Amino acid sequence: MYFFNKTTTPPTFTRVSSGFNIYYLPRGNKGDIKVFPPGFKMVAGDNGRNTYNASLFDNQAISWVCLDYNNPAVNGKETPGFPTTNCPDGIRGQIFFPSCWDGMNLDSANHKDHVAYPVQNYNGGDCPPSHPVKLVSLFYEQIFDTGKFNVNSDGQTWVLANGDTTGYSMHADFQNGWDSPSILQQVIDQCDEDNGNGNMHDCPPLLPYIDEASRDACHLDPNILIPDEDVGLFHDGTISILLGNNPIWMSGQSKPINTTYVETASWGRVGSLSEGVGTRGVSPLVLDSGSGVQIDDPDGGDWELRGCIAESKTGRALEGTAITDQTEMNLRKCALACESKGYSIAGIEFGHECYCDNALRNGVQLQLLANVTCGMPCTGNPYENCGGSSAITLLAKKGVVIRTTGQASSALPLQLPIFFLFFTLTITNALTILIL
């Protein structure tokens, strides 16, 4: 969702950050509720809907809630489209999926006909004869941080990426990813408000599968290419056109087609050193097949990640120079800044603090920490990680051997291991180091 800024010419769009809650709700008689079979898919909502029909359950199943904890008259008010008042504590988009299945088809041409809403209500009740199998109810909440925005005087304040200014076209997909239906069935049968209530550790069927160490050790494959299109994740989140250059459309207006659309996005790598994500129109990145290091960047291509290490407890690991006033920092930017000052090591901490030197100092050793320790996203590229609290992500030019004795690091014919960072929401005592 974007804030529709009409004070600029032409208008611009600022991405509104958000988070998800996803619920599996056992609505109905517990013994009758079935789980999704392998390969099952469905869609709730319609990305082309431009009106609201209160008599249709599939319309009722899509709603919006304004959050204003200091205003009881507004807080929690549910509307079929975007709220038109200020919502200082957020806006919650809500999607309730159909919970009745025909028992035969895993999918259908429109991803909807094989499922249906209950007879009595969209969020509970008996299944119709045409779709007799009662499924666990799936409910999505997406909470948008709207506190810093004021509504526009004409009421058209928010817009979805498809150009919809009403909110009616909000929709969601579901593809069953449970490896074993029996596990989810046990969860539905055994865990409820008295045994689990949202805490996975209190649900016995899930305990054998909770492996936080494996979760922390998981990282993104650096060879995966993703669309290189600015969706508002950089700078202040403002973009000049919507995704795919979608036109704006209003209530009652059919979703328009942009007949003059020309694709401008190419492909970039997750966590590339060249800001390959979000720059629009750059050439596809070429990667070294062995290490995954980008090799076609004429400026930053001779840099490589060395991993995550702990910051010194008695001073700075990198004392040569500090660049801490940049609000949009990323790995490449820090590395090139250090290189321009004659340093061969660079490190980022707290997502944006860049430090340079030619050796590790104040007792810091090249002892690598788990990548999760350096899991704070870069302020200038959320697809990269830039250290954390008291931990550093390490970069160096190829062949550089990092010294820890105060001597200058030197370039030797030695290939050191390459380490890639990954996303996490858990940030503890970590700093990211870059080395030239």
Side-chain angles (χ1 to χ4, degrees):
M1 185 175 80
Y2 295 84
F3 171 69
F4 192 3
N5 184 2
K6 298 183 178 181
T7 62
T8 61
T9 304
T12 56
F13 311 92
T14 301
R15 186 183 67 90
V16 185
S17 60
S18 66
F20 264 100
N21 293 319
I22 297 176
Y23 302 87
Y24 289 75
L25 304 174
R27 299 280 175 90
N29 298 322
K30 183 168 290 189
D32 297 334
I33 301 173
K34 304 303 178 184
V35 299
F36 313 109
F40 181 84
K41 303 175 183 179
M42 64 176 168
V43 168
D46 183 343
N47 70 347
R49 184 163 68 88
N50 58 5
T51 59
Y52 176 70
N53 188 333
S55 66
L56 299 178
F57 285 163
D58 62 351
N59 281 206
Q60 296 178 30
I62 311 299
S63 59
W64 299 85
V65 175
C66 182
L67 302 177
D68 185 350
Y69 301 142
N70 294 319
N71 187 350
V74 173
N75 186 52
K77 182 180 180 181
E78 188 171 300
T79 56
F82 289 135
T84 56
T85 58
N86 285 328
C87 302
D89 297 303
I91 291 177
R92 188 172 68 226
Q94 304 182 149
I95 299 178
F96 210 100
F97 281 80
S99 57
C100 298
W101 177 41
D102 65 12
M104 297 179 294
N105 298 294
L106 300 177
D107 197 4
S108 51
N110 62 2
H111 312 297
K112 297 180 180 182
D113 289 345
H114 61 305
V115 290
Y117 286 98
V119 174
Q120 289 86 357
N121 207 326
Y122 72 91
N123 59 4
D126 302 318
C127 287
S130 59
H131 296 76
V133 180
K134 182 66 174 177
L135 298 173
V136 59
S137 297
L138 194 62
F139 178 52
Y140 289 1
E141 287 182 342
Q142 187 173 7
I143 302 174
F144 296 90
D145 184 10
T146 57
K148 67 178 181 180
F149 301 100
N150 290 317
V151 296
N152 293 326
S153 58
D154 62 1
Q156 293 176 350
T157 304
W158 316 109
V159 58
L160 297 178
N162 64 356
D164 174 23
T165 60
T166 68
Y168 294 152
S169 71
M170 189 178 188
H171 59 285
D173 309 339
F174 173 76
Q175 297 187 57
N176 184 24
W178 289 83
D179 294 336
S180 173
S182 63
I183 298 173
L184 181 56
Q185 190 67 62
Q186 292 175 47
V187 172
I188 299 304
D189 293 341
Q190 299 179 33
C191 301
D192 52 27
E193 64 274 8
D194 299 319
N195 183 19
N197 196 28
N199 187 345
M200 293 190 297
H201 292 274
D202 293 335
C203 182
L206 288 177
L207 287 178
Y209 308 99
I210 298 176
D211 188 344
E212 294 177 351
S214 294
R215 177 202 65 190
D216 292 346
C218 179
H219 59 86
L220 295 173
D221 181 350
N223 292 299
I224 294 176
L225 298 181
I226 61 175
D228 175 17
E229 182 174 18
D230 191 352
V231 300
L233 291 173
F234 303 93
H235 311 290
D236 64 350
T238 299
I239 54 180
S240 58
I241 59 174
L242 293 173
L243 281 65
N245 201 11
N246 278 316
I248 294 294
W249 45 292
M250 316 295 180
S251 177
Q253 176 186 2
S254 297
K255 181 182 177 181
I257 298 176
N258 184 356
T259 58
T260 62
Y261 175 72
V262 176
E263 180 61 72
T264 59
S266 59
W267 294 91
R269 178 171 67 81
V270 172
S272 74
L273 299 183
S274 70
E275 304 176 73
V277 178
T279 54
R280 274 190 186 279
V282 300
S283 300
L285 302 179
V286 179
L287 308 179
D288 179 274
S289 59
S291 67
V293 173
Q294 180 188 332
I295 61 176
D296 68 338
D297 184 351
D299 296 320
D302 54 350
W303 283 76
E304 56 191 18
L305 283 163
R306 296 292 178 86
C308 177
I309 66 173
E311 174 65 287
S312 173
K313 296 181 179 180
T314 59
R316 289 287 180 192
L318 304 173
E319 294 184 326
T321 192
I323 305 165
T324 60
D325 59 348
Q326 300 291 316
T327 58
E328 298 178 7
M329 183 57 69
N330 57 48
L331 300 182
R332 179 177 183 270
K333 188 173 185 177
C334 180
L336 296 182
C338 290
E339 184 176 32
S340 70
K341 297 178 182 296
Y343 294 104
S344 61
I345 302 175
I348 304 185
E349 190 173 3
F350 294 109
H352 70 96
E353 296 181 2
C354 174
Y355 299 94
C356 312
D357 210 324
N358 289 317
L360 300 179
R361 306 185 188 279
N362 292 308
V364 172
Q365 300 295 315
L366 191 59
Q367 296 176 344
L368 298 178
L369 306 176
N371 284 337
V372 67
T373 314
C374 290
M376 186 174 291
C378 303
T379 55
N381 186 347
Y383 292 96
E384 295 178 340
N385 286 344
C386 285
S389 174
S390 299
I392 305 173
T393 302
L394 196 61
L395 283 175
K397 281 184 174 290
K398 292 180 180 179
V400 167
V401 177
I402 302 167
R403 305 296 188 186
T404 60
T405 62
Q407 298 175 338
S409 300
S410 60
L412 296 178
L414 173 66
Q415 180 64 49
L416 297 182
I418 309 301
F419 296 87
F420 293 94
L421 305 181
F422 62 99
F423 303 121
T424 179
L425 296 180
T426 303
I427 303 169
T428 56
N429 299 325
L431 163 68
T432 300
I433 298 185
L434 303 172
I435 303 177
L436 291 173

